């Protein structure tokens, strides 16, 4: 069924078409901001042409992505783009929380606010794209030259919405409250004692909630030697050292609806404008260095020993990128990883 656009959608479609002509290299997320709209609304202008509105249970759809074979998974936020190629394997859901635990594609999915889904075909590039109620992209899946296009077509046909007439209702975001850098009423000794008693890195989130702390506040109140600031410019030397040593690392990129993880070595690193890039055959990362308000080295105790991470935080206090040495539960972190950090970073 062909979609009928409202006058407002028609006007947006025209503005979007003109924008693409004059700004061919601008990413759609950034274009949406310049056009004072959302990415989901821009994608929706193509419904009935090169875009198909999807419906149904997205959990069941994700379970079928493995049939597409080799694909590229893309998860991003405002400051960093994470692209990883591979196959969706070991897919499972517990209510609306999902796991994809393949050797290459490693995801944590939070589908409670996966509101809109589209199949998009543009210039022979085919993808499944999902958005939350605010119109922000949660996760995208692109076919590669190795993908099974017939399986893609079958999934799109199965989950195509019966009614392609679409009028997106986009929720309005609540501004994030400003945070004070120091907390006056925290029981610092108790907080530090609980930090030192951590058994799992995931328990850190529970600790923050218990003491009602933001990420920055928690790091400023860390036990001695367990968190220190580094310069945002430290990331390039860290990447280069990991590449030179061929030390496998873990790269986490998150938004409220998805976490995507790369585990392995990195190789081709370069800067283009504000972007620090990793451009390997199966893994790409695009990190806006100018978005890093604070960068921290953070140490957390676990049952397997101390785990060392680098955390990048933006001006709003959101942690948007994390890095670790390669590790698995039950296995201590590689000793070369904290040593690499020590020799590569510049402390503040």
């Amino acid at each position: 069924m062909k979609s009928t656009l409202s006058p407002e959608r028609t006007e947006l479609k025209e503005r979007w078409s003109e924008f693409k002509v004059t700004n061919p290299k601008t990413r759609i997320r950034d274009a949406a901001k310049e056009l004072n709209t959302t990415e989901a609304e821009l994608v929706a202008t193509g419904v009935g042409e090169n875009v198909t509105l999807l419906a149904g249970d997205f959990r069941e759809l994700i379970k079928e992505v493995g049939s597409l074979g080799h694909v590229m998974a893309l998860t991003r936020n405002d400051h960093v783009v994470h692209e990883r190629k591979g196959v969706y394997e070991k897919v499972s859901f517990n209510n609306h929380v999902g796991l994809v635990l393949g050797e290459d594609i490693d995801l944590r999915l939070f589908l409670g606010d996966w509101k809109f889904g589209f199949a998009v075909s543009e210039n022979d590039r085919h993808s499944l794209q999902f958005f939350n109620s605010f119109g922000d992209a949660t996760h995208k899946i692109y076919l590669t030259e190795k993908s099974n296009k017939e399986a893609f077509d079958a999934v799109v046909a199965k989950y195509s919405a019966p009614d392609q007439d679409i009028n997106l209702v986009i929720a309005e975001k609540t501004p994030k409250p400003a945070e004070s850098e120091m907390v006056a009423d925290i029981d610092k000794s108790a907080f530090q004692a609980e930090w030192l008693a951590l058994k799992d890195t995931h328990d850190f989130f529970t600790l923050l909630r218990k003491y009602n702390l933001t990420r920055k506040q928690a790091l400023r109140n860390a036990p001695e030697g367990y968190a220190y600031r580094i310069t945002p410019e430290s990331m390039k030397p860290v990447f280069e050292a990991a590449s030179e040593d061929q030390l496998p690392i873990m790269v986490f990129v998150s938004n409220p609806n998805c976490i995507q993880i790369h585990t392995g070595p990195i190789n081709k690193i370069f800067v283009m404008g504000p972007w620090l890039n990793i451009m390997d055959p199966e893994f790409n990362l695009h990190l806006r260095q100018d978005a890093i308000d604070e960068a921290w080295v953070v140490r957390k105790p676990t049952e397997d020993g101390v785990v060392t991470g680098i955390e990048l935080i933006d001006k709003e206090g959101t942690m948007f990128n994390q890095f670790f040495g390669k590790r698995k539960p039950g296995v201590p972190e590689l000793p070369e990883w904290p040593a690499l950090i020590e020799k590569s970073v510049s402390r503040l």
Side-chain angles (χ1 to χ4, degrees):
M1 179 178 175
K2 192 172 178 65
S3 170
T4 305
L5 291 178
S6 66
E8 293 80 10
R9 302 283 175 193
T10 301
E11 188 266 341
L12 178 60
K13 182 175 183 177
E14 291 171 354
R15 287 197 294 133
W16 176 219
S17 296
E18 292 169 5
F19 185 93
K20 284 188 284 189
V21 171
T22 54
N23 304 274
K25 293 186 177 179
T26 302
R27 292 176 181 268
I28 187 171
R29 189 184 185 98
D30 300 321
K33 291 178 181 177
E34 293 195 38
L35 293 169
N36 196 30
T37 186
T38 67
E39 185 177 347
E41 288 172 289
L42 290 184
V43 172
T45 62
V47 170
E49 295 178 359
N50 66 316
V51 177
T52 300
L53 177 65
L54 302 175
D57 190 335
F58 291 153
R59 292 172 296 184
E60 296 304 313
L61 191 160
I62 294 295
K63 289 177 185 176
E64 297 193 37
V65 171
S67 69
L68 310 185
H70 186 269
V71 295
M72 187 267 277
L74 187 153
T75 299
R76 69 162 302 171
N77 52 49
D78 282 337
H79 316 308
V80 60
V81 185
H82 190 299
E83 302 169 353
R84 186 64 168 88
K85 293 178 181 176
V87 179
Y88 280 61
E89 299 174 309
K90 300 180 184 175
V91 181
S92 63
F93 284 92
N94 180 4
N95 199 358
H96 287 283
V97 177
L99 297 172
V100 181
L101 297 175
E103 282 295 312
D104 301 312
I105 306 294
D106 188 357
L107 304 169
R108 310 292 177 268
L109 307 172
F110 310 102
L111 269 67
D113 192 30
W114 283 39
K115 182 78 172 179
F116 311 108
F118 302 95
V120 181
S121 296
E122 49 189 349
N123 303 323
D124 294 326
R125 201 173 190 214
H126 307 285
S127 61
L128 302 170
Q129 304 190 13
F130 302 94
F131 300 83
N132 63 20
S133 56
F134 304 108
D136 296 329
T138 62
H139 186 59
K140 299 180 182 180
I141 302 160
Y142 286 85
L143 298 194
T144 70
E145 65 281 354
K146 301 177 187 176
S147 301
N148 185 332
K149 176 62 164 54
E150 288 184 2
F152 173 84
D153 292 338
V155 168
V156 173
K158 182 175 179 179
Y159 291 93
S160 176
D163 184 0
Q164 291 289 309
D165 258 345
I166 183 169
N167 183 25
L168 299 190
V169 178
I170 302 296
E172 196 165 330
K173 289 182 181 178
T174 304
K176 190 172 182 179
E179 65 171 347
S180 58
E181 292 203 342
M182 298 306 293
V183 186
D185 57 354
I186 181 178
D187 185 340
K188 192 170 180 178
S189 296
F191 170 69
Q192 292 183 347
E194 289 199 47
W195 181 316
L196 294 172
L198 288 171
K199 302 295 184 186
D200 188 295
T201 56
H202 298 98
D203 296 338
F204 192 68
F205 299 100
T206 307
L207 185 61
L208 298 192
R209 283 197 301 270
K210 177 177 179 179
Y211 285 87
N212 195 28
L213 295 173
T214 66
R215 201 86 181 183
K216 287 183 181 179
Q217 290 166 346
L219 299 182
R220 281 178 167 77
N221 285 279
E224 182 68 31
Y226 278 78
Y228 61 88
R229 283 186 66 185
I230 59 176
T231 65
E233 295 78 20
S234 293
M235 292 316 304
K236 185 168 183 281
V238 168
F239 288 177
E240 289 172 338
S243 174
E244 183 177 342
D245 296 348
Q246 280 297 283
L247 184 71
I249 64 172
M250 301 181 76
V251 183
F252 288 64
V253 168
S254 61
N255 59 48
N257 312 100
C258 184
I259 300 171
Q260 184 163 309
I261 307 162
H262 162 76
T263 302
I266 58 175
N267 293 289
K268 187 178 180 182
I269 298 143
F270 67 92
V271 173
M272 182 173 288
W275 297 94
L276 174 59
N277 303 279
I278 300 171
M279 295 290 286
D280 292 339
E282 301 294 292
F283 172 58
N284 289 181
L285 188 79
H286 311 288
L287 166 63
R288 277 201 74 117
Q289 295 185 98
D290 56 354
I292 306 171
D293 187 51
E294 294 184 7
W296 290 79
V297 173
V298 184
R299 303 174 71 236
K300 298 175 189 136
T302 74
E303 292 183 333
D304 306 317
V306 170
V307 171
T308 309
I310 297 176
E311 302 186 359
L312 306 183
I313 303 173
D314 68 13
K315 289 182 174 62
E316 291 189 332
T318 301
M319 183 187 66
F320 62 89
N321 210 175
Q322 265 184 311
F323 304 87
F324 299 92
K326 179 181 178 180
R327 63 177 292 271
K328 289 186 176 182
V331 181
E333 76 174 358
L334 297 170
E336 294 88 351
W337 170 242
L340 181 149
I341 291 175
E342 283 297 317
K343 75 178 183 181
S344 304
V345 303
S346 299
R347 293 196 186 213
L348 284 176

